[in-house]
Amino acid sequence: MNYVGIDFHKKTITIHVVNQERKKVDHKRLTCLPTQVIADYFKTVVPFQAVIEATASYEWLMRLPQPLAERMILAHPKKLRVIAESTRKSDKIDAQVLAEFLALDMIPQAYRPTPRQREHRVLVRHRCYLQRRITSVRNKIRRILSDCNADQPNLFTCEGLEYLADVAVKLLSVPERFAVQQLLAEFEFYHTQLNEWAAAMKKFVAQASTAEARKLLHSIPGVGPVTTEVVLSELADPKRFRSSKNAVSYAGMAPGHRESAGKRKDLHIERTGSKLLRWVLIESAWQLVRYSLFSASKVRASKRLGRGPCCLRSKKLP
């Protein structure tokens, strides 16, 4: 059995092959294109197991030798600290370390999403990108209007857009008017893209097998469709977590702490894992606080009016 360590970069890959005794069998440096050369090389080292670090674009390289390999492993780059913290670091050494650790069966594995889960993430992350572009365009328009003291809170409602058309004629200079017109065209374009995304997402969800999970998430106050899709796409398979604490830690929401000599110091959250998942969880927490404060104020009001809490009807936030 051969054990193949692959150090992957954007334009090149470095391959190191060892046997069961961790003796060097071969070492090769190949370009990422053409891929057929890479596939032909793996045919020369069968039977083999291979390991690749979880980098940004690893998926195509994982699929390439998979039909020939007895096992393909995705290594967790953060847990493989022997490479990250090494004082002697090069592509050759990294590939060698990966191969030797694979021969010893000591590779810390990272989770590899299924093709369906990857498609879900692409859709959800693209929606977030479109929303960020819309927010950026709106802020630029407000910036131009603020220079003329003409900004309005309801600027992007139907009435606000009519007001904007009137203001653009009266107050803005010719260059400012041109910039606002260009930005409004971009604003309409991204909204069209967002509507098309909603149709694509609806079609994707109709073929999903996670209806029960979506229903459960929707039942939580402050959790809407966007939060639901982000949580489902970023967590992928919830069964891979041993407990809810592991899922919280994966999202980077677990505060750290340091303890020594009986003294304990609480730290901030870890800020690891998916930034998108962490963002929607924080936003949902604020919505829950708002919901709780709203419900508490209704209870206090009912007591002042002499009514019991049984008459209250809690409402879910949009």
Side-chain angles (χ1 to χ4, degrees):
M1 175 65 66
N2 291 321
Y3 299 91
V4 183
I6 306 172
D7 188 63
F8 171 53
H9 293 279
K10 187 175 182 179
K11 295 182 179 180
T12 62
I13 64 171
T14 303
I15 302 173
H16 192 88
V17 185
V18 300
N19 57 23
Q20 292 179 343
E21 289 75 31
R22 291 180 292 155
K23 301 296 183 181
K24 177 181 174 182
V25 174
D26 193 16
H27 180 84
K28 200 78 171 180
R29 183 181 177 91
L30 301 172
T31 58
C32 292
L33 292 173
T35 57
Q36 187 59 42
V37 175
I38 303 174
D40 291 340
Y41 174 79
F42 281 111
K43 293 178 183 179
T44 65
V45 295
V46 291
F48 70 91
Q49 298 180 15
V51 57
I52 304 173
E53 271 193 297
T55 55
S57 307
Y58 66 84
E59 184 61 26
W60 71 267
L61 187 55
M62 288 282 288
R63 289 197 299 261
L64 195 63
Q66 195 161 9
L68 301 171
E70 293 197 4
R71 186 170 63 146
M72 291 292 298
I73 298 180
L74 188 64
H76 197 300
K78 185 177 179 181
K79 294 182 179 179
L80 204 62
R81 303 181 68 89
V82 67
I83 291 180
E85 297 181 353
S86 176
T87 55
R88 295 177 62 247
K89 192 176 188 303
S90 66
D91 296 345
K92 180 179 180 180
I93 294 176
D94 290 355
Q96 180 182 350
V97 171
L98 286 171
E100 292 180 356
F101 271 53
L102 179 60
L104 294 170
D105 197 19
M106 293 175 59
I107 294 291
Q109 295 190 39
Y111 179 73
R112 183 186 178 192
T114 64
R116 172 79 182 183
Q117 292 165 350
R118 292 179 65 86
E119 292 171 1
H120 193 191
R121 287 184 179 181
V122 169
L123 279 175
V124 172
R125 292 176 181 181
H126 183 62
R127 193 265 177 197
C128 294
Y129 164 78
L130 293 177
Q131 190 59 58
R132 285 197 301 268
R133 296 304 306 152
I134 291 173
T135 302
S136 176
V137 171
R138 291 173 56 157
N139 290 341
K140 286 182 179 293
I141 294 174
R142 288 189 180 278
R143 175 67 268 170
I144 295 174
L145 294 182
S146 296
D147 291 337
C148 304
N149 195 27
D151 192 13
Q152 294 290 329
N154 61 341
L155 187 61
F156 296 98
T157 61
C158 293
E159 296 80 3
L161 292 175
E162 292 178 1
Y163 162 79
L164 179 58
D166 184 56
V167 168
V169 174
K170 294 182 180 179
L171 298 180
L172 302 182
S173 64
V174 175
E176 290 173 334
R177 195 178 310 142
F178 173 78
V180 169
Q181 289 173 350
Q182 293 274 295
L183 290 169
L184 284 174
E186 188 177 358
F187 179 76
E188 293 176 2
F189 169 75
Y190 282 124
H191 266 288
T192 302
Q193 295 281 298
L194 202 59
N195 292 334
E196 292 177 0
W197 174 90
M201 192 67 199
K202 184 177 180 181
K203 183 178 179 181
F204 184 87
V205 170
Q207 302 171 354
S209 58
T210 54
E212 185 177 350
R214 283 182 170 84
K215 184 178 180 181
L216 179 63
L217 287 170
H218 283 162
S219 67
I220 303 173
V223 174
V226 175
T227 301
T228 297
E229 295 305 325
V230 170
V231 170
L232 291 178
S233 65
E234 295 298 317
L235 287 182
D237 182 11
K239 295 181 180 179
R240 64 192 177 104
F241 301 105
R242 291 177 296 178
S243 65
S244 58
K245 291 183 179 180
N246 291 121
V248 170
S249 180
Y250 172 80
M253 297 295 293
H257 71 273
R258 293 184 181 275
E259 186 173 352
S260 179
K263 296 181 180 179
R264 177 188 173 102
K265 180 181 179 181
D266 293 327
L267 305 177
H268 53 69
I269 60 176
E270 297 177 355
R271 301 185 186 277
T272 57
S274 170
K275 294 181 180 180
L276 186 58
L277 177 59
R278 187 162 57 254
W279 169 69
V280 297
L281 291 177
I282 292 173
E283 291 299 316
S284 299
W286 279 115
Q287 289 294 327
L288 184 59
V289 170
R290 177 186 170 194
Y291 175 83
S292 300
L293 292 175
F294 177 68
S295 299
S297 64
K298 289 179 66 176
V299 171
R300 290 195 297 269
S302 66
K303 289 182 178 180
R304 288 198 301 269
L305 295 173
R307 301 173 182 172
C310 60
C311 69
L312 300 180
R313 296 293 184 268
S314 61
K315 298 181 180 179
K316 295 182 179 179
L317 293 178

